[in-house]
Amino acid sequence: DVQLQASGGGLVQVGGSLRLSCSTSGFNFRNHFIGWFRQAPGKERQGVSCIMGGDGATFYEDSVKGRFTISKDNAKKTVYLQMNSLKPEDTAVYYCAAAPWETVVQGFLNPSEYNYWGQGTQVTVSS
């Protein structure tokens, strides 16, 4: 069975940092995109960043560029999201998701392109 498990969320003050982890199993890590998405109350789910399990290509949503860094550990089949300089608008439930690379055709950060999802982890940035 495909499994993705997100962890690492929490409460942090403005300007602080958190590192999210997404541990995966049940699929070929190297030929999938693994992405981080977030959903704030009353808002649509939004793509944050994704990484190709094979060549490590990365993509970021504009508002997190320069603050968030996505990385992977192929041996552990785990993807990380290092979040620095956190802002109140980063508050959301963060999800990780995966999709075979060949099926991602309309946008690397488009949630509808991803078919495997983990449970979310809450990130709250207090001001």
Side-chain angles (χ1 to χ4, degrees), residues 13-30:
Q13 292 187 335
V14 170
S17 298
L18 283 173
R19 189 176 83 151
L20 306 183
S21 299
C22 175
S23 60
T24 74
S25 63
F27 62 93
N28 187 336
F29 186 86
R30 295 187 65 85

Side-chain angles (χ1 to χ4, degrees), residues 9-82:
L11 174 64
V12 64
Q13 292 187 335
V14 170
S17 298
L18 283 173
R19 189 176 83 151
L20 306 183
S21 299
C22 175
S23 60
T24 74
S25 63
F27 62 93
N28 187 336
F29 186 86
R30 295 187 65 85
N31 70 4
H32 280 66
F33 279 101
I34 298 95
W36 285 99
F37 300 81
R38 64 187 179 187
Q39 189 164 18
K43 294 189 176 181
E44 293 186 353
R45 192 165 295 187
Q46 174 192 39
V48 175
S49 182
C50 69
I51 189 166
M52 177 61 193
D55 65 10
T58 60
F59 301 88
Y60 295 93
E61 192 270 330
D62 285 347
S63 71
V64 307
K65 286 179 181 177
R67 300 189 298 124
F68 291 10
T69 303
I70 193 168
S71 62
K72 64 183 177 72
D73 183 329
N74 281 34
K76 295 181 178 180
K77 297 185 179 180
T78 298
V79 171
Y80 305 97
L81 186 69
Q82 178 66 44

